[in-house]
Amino acid sequence: TRPPPHPLNTAMASDEADAARTEQPPPAKPRRSPELLEIDEDEFLASMPTLCVPGIIGGALLFSFAFGGVGMLVQGPQSPAQLICQTVGGCLGAYGTAVMHKAS
């Protein structure tokens, strides 16, 4: 017959068992197939962000005027710098407002 284990040894053994249990990675989540996801098409389309075309045009014009003004101050009116700055400003303004309207 064996003597009963010492209480301190029992506590250490339970701590080791707890550590072994916590070291195991969690089980992988099952992947859902698209067929299982029942999404209403109208609900899905209503939740998609829409772009505001007048807002994008307004942002492009605002940036175009601002950048074109800088180009005009650098080399004068109807200069290549004004044309380049207006083009870059319009592109940046359209992109910026499109991203802003898409995110909201």
Side-chain angles (χ1 to χ4, degrees):
T1 65
R2 291 175 72 172
H6 191 271
L8 187 57
N9 290 341
T10 307
M12 287 174 49
S14 67
D15 287 344
E16 290 173 0
D18 288 342
R21 265 186 258 132
T22 57
E23 289 176 8
Q24 296 174 352
K29 293 182 180 179
R31 291 188 176 201
R32 292 185 174 180
S33 65
E35 298 85 40
L36 295 177
L37 298 174
E38 295 181 18
I39 300 174
D40 184 26
E41 187 175 347
D42 295 333
E43 235 178 82
F44 177 73
L45 292 175
S47 68
M48 291 184 66
T50 58
L51 294 176
C52 177
V53 175
I56 294 171
I57 292 171
L61 287 174
L62 176 74
F63 275 75
S64 179
F65 287 138
F67 278 54
V70 171
M72 188 174 66
L73 289 175
V74 171
Q75 284 192 345
Q78 298 181 350
S79 65
Q82 182 184 5
L83 176 67
I84 291 170
C85 287
Q86 278 182 324
T87 305
V88 169
C91 292
L92 289 175
Y95 177 75
T97 52
V99 169
M100 177 191 65
H101 281 285
K102 190 175 180 183
S104 64

